[in-house]
Each structure stands twice: as structure tokens, then as C-alpha cells.
Amino acid sequence: DQYSQSELGEFREGKTKELVYLEGMPGGHDHVAVYMNITLYELGCKEVSLDIQDRHGRFDIDQYSQSELGEFREGKTKELVYLEGMPGGHDHVAVYMNITLYELGCKEVSLDIQDRHGRFDIDQYSQSEFHKTSTKSGGCNFEGNIYVRHMLGNFHFTPRGQHLNNKTITHSIHALRFGDHMAWEFEDYPMSTDSLAHEEKSTSEGRTHDYLVKLVKTEVVDEDDGEVLHPFQYTYTHRDFVAHHKGKPLPPRIYFRLQFSPLTMKFMVYHQDTWVFLTRHLAIFGGTFAVLKMCFSGAHVAHDTIKGGKFM
């Protein structure tokens, strides 16, 4: 009850439970896989053992097998990158943006999506979901959904043409969200799902804007109706600089560099049962009326006693 102003407010708005957990790891729900490649030079394999111990001093004996240890020793690895329940495929995350560039027209700038290996995802946004609109001042507004890979990568705005090297890439970020959109917010747990909203940047000519965005997957579960949402919360840092290649200045760009955390923050929303709420508060009301009746009866008896002159 420490997170609500009253039990009536808790009954009306529901109660939120926060969980932070790490999912999708081999080894079970309460274990984390640890990869090692360590060489002991003066001890043979029969002369040394590997022990695992928790904070209570208990040993976990069978938390690694010869086959897994052999795979680790031989360097066999398998990487799985996926995100369940997100539009755009299992390995993509939906990004909604509403960004205006004030000094570059829609034909003078392009939006590119790039993964950590430098590969470009050309067709990860469609004309039906993403729109470019020219502004009255000659700029361009980008609004809609694109899809980025759930891995290190970036998406960036790049001017097209050498004559644009000295342009000032002034811009406003009206909205930038990742994953599902939440139309409501928790009063007790403010969520940072649109941290860059209303951000405006204007610098000198030729300077590139670089946003480092760190994202945490969030799962919001409503236990009453079964609705599940997967927004992403994020924080960011910003810097601006003049980029060069082989001693020559490059056109100014706007980079959004993405880093995904393996952690998942889970919010569980549940509402108090109606009968429990009524029973608890009817008992309070009944007790209140009983006390008031007792006080009224005592006052009435005292009044009759004083009126009868028994204390005179």
C-alpha cells in the first residue's frame, strides 16, 4: 500500500509489480552460462578441478558437462539473436519516429539502417508505414515505423551531394519509440519509452550529431485481460563533431547508435478482487458506525444524567 495514495485509488487504477530478470539463457531459469578459455601451465588436467560455489558455501557439482566443456575448449559456439512477439520478424524491432530536418529537403537526405557488421538493411521500411513530407520552410519531416535488427547497429540520416558538406543539420525529434506503443503510463513507475521526445539540436556548419541509445526490453503484462506489451525503455547521450575521411570533411549526419541490454524489465499489473475490496471497506464502515453509535449513546446518557440533577 506504500505506492498508492489510498486503497480506493489502488482498486480503481490497479497495482503494479516490478520484476527485472534475464531471459533466454541456457542452463535453466536460475542459471547463467559462463564461457571460459583459461590455460594452466604447470598443472595437468588430472591434477586440478573446477568447482562452482554459491554465496552460502554450497557447491554446484553438475552445472557443466564434458560435452559442453569440450565444446568450450574446442571453440564451438552458436549465437542466437532473436526477439519474440515483435512486428517486423523475430530478429527486428519496430521503431516509430517523428523527426524534422529544417535545412535539408526530402530529395537531399536519405535514411539508412546499418547493423554492427556494416551491412545496410535497404527495405526495412515501407511506403505504407513510413512517410517523408516536405515542410513549408524547405525541410523534411520523417514519420512512421522502420525496423532495426535486435543487435548493435544504427540508423542515420545522410545528405546526398558534395555541395551539402557545409550544411547545418538542424533538427527536432518530436518522438522516438522502440517496440510496442504504450498509450498510458504508470503513476508509480515512470517509464522512459520516449526519452528523446522534444529534443532540438542546432550547431555550426558541417557538424555531425551522434546519439548513443541504450535500450532495455520491457514486458508489461495485465493479469486481468491477458494483454502483453513489449516496449523498450532507453537512455541516451549526445555529442557533435566534424567527421573526416582521409583528411577531407564529410557531410554532416545524424546517427542513432543502438545498444540492446540482455536484461528484461517486467511489469505485472493486477487489480484487487471486488469482493475483497468491498469486504475490507464495509468492515471499516461498520466499525466506524459502531464507534459513532457508542459515542452518541454515551453522550445521550451523560446528557440525561446531568439534566436529572444527579450530580447536583
Side-chain angles (χ1 to χ4, degrees):
D1 295 330
Q2 58 180 328
Y3 298 113
S4 60
Q5 297 296 326
S6 65
E7 293 190 0
L8 183 60
E10 179 182 317
F11 173 74
R12 185 177 64 253
E13 300 174 3
K15 191 174 181 180
T16 305
K17 183 178 180 181
E18 180 180 5
L19 298 174
V20 179
Y21 66 95
L22 185 66
E23 66 175 5
M25 302 300 296
H29 294 291
D30 57 349
H31 289 81
V32 177
V34 180
Y35 170 79
M36 66 175 64
N37 187 352
I38 302 173
T39 303
L40 279 64
Y41 293 103
E42 298 181 10
L43 292 173
C45 293
K46 295 182 179 181
E47 299 173 335
V48 65
S49 64
L50 172 63
D51 302 318
I52 305 171
Q53 192 174 20
D54 65 15
R55 65 175 180 174
H56 303 293
R58 299 172 300 195
F59 285 85
D60 292 333
I61 304 299
D62 295 321
Q63 294 308 322
Y64 62 92
S65 63
Q66 295 298 324
S67 60
E68 291 183 337
L69 191 59
E71 289 181 0
F72 287 161
R73 187 167 60 244
E74 295 169 3
K76 182 178 180 181
T77 59
K78 183 178 182 181
E79 181 181 5
L80 296 176
V81 181
Y82 64 93
L83 185 66
E84 297 181 348
M86 301 300 298
H90 291 293
D91 60 343
H92 287 79
V93 177
V95 182
Y96 172 79
M97 68 172 66
N98 186 353
I99 299 175
T100 301
L101 279 65
Y102 292 105
E103 299 185 18
L104 291 172
C106 292
K107 294 183 178 180
E108 298 175 321
V109 64
S110 66
L111 172 61
D112 301 315
I113 305 171
Q114 194 174 21
D115 66 15
R116 63 176 180 177
H117 303 295
R119 299 172 300 194
F120 284 85
D121 288 337
I122 304 299
D123 297 321
Q124 294 307 321
Y125 56 92
S126 63
Q127 298 298 324
S128 61
E129 295 184 82
F130 192 76
H131 306 280
K132 296 192 293 184
T133 306
S134 298
T135 64
K136 295 181 180 179
S137 61
C140 187
N141 175 258
F142 295 80
E143 182 179 7
N145 290 313
I146 64 173
Y147 298 97
V148 299
R149 293 185 182 274
H150 187 247
M151 61 170 61
L152 285 173
N154 69 81
F155 60 92
H156 55 272
F157 295 93
T158 305
R160 298 301 183 188
Q162 293 295 327
H163 66 287
L164 301 174
N165 284 10
N166 294 325
K167 275 282 188 178
T168 300
I169 195 161
T170 304
H171 60 280
S172 292
I173 304 174
H174 311 293
L176 184 64
R177 300 190 299 266
F178 299 82
D180 293 334
H181 174 50
M182 290 185 59
W184 44 274
E185 292 284 346
F186 297 120
E187 292 185 0
D188 305 323
Y189 299 91
M191 301 180 68
S192 303
T193 57
D194 201 357
S195 302
L196 275 167
H198 312 299
E199 188 77 12
E200 295 187 5
K201 296 295 181 184
S202 176
T203 56
S204 57
E205 294 181 353
R207 300 190 71 85
T208 289
H209 294 269
D210 199 6
Y211 294 91
L212 176 60
V213 182
K214 296 187 175 182
L215 300 109
V216 177
K217 180 185 175 184
T218 305
E219 184 177 353
V220 181
V221 181
D222 192 321
E223 293 190 342
D224 290 339
D225 58 18
E227 182 183 8
V228 181
L229 297 175
H230 294 92
F232 280 78
Q233 299 186 75
Y234 67 90
T235 59
Y236 72 94
T237 57
H238 170 267
R239 62 171 181 163
D240 60 90
F241 58 91
V242 178
H244 291 82
H245 179 67
K246 295 182 178 181
K248 297 181 179 180
L250 294 174
R253 302 179 182 182
I254 305 175
Y255 274 95
F256 295 90
R257 305 183 189 275
L258 310 179
Q259 292 184 0
F260 291 91
S261 171
L263 289 174
T264 296
M265 179 172 287
K266 185 172 184 178
F267 292 89
M268 301 179 66
V269 182
Y270 58 93
H271 299 271
Q272 193 178 64
D273 184 76
T274 304
W275 291 111
V276 173
F277 176 80
L278 292 176
T279 303
R280 179 183 297 179
H281 289 81
L282 286 176
I284 296 175
F285 294 147
T288 302
F289 282 114
V291 172
L292 290 175
K293 183 177 180 180
M294 182 176 62
C295 294
F296 177 78
S297 298
H300 183 70
V301 171
H303 178 267
D304 292 343
T305 301
I306 294 174
K307 188 176 181 180
K310 294 184 178 182
F311 290 101
M312 297 300 294

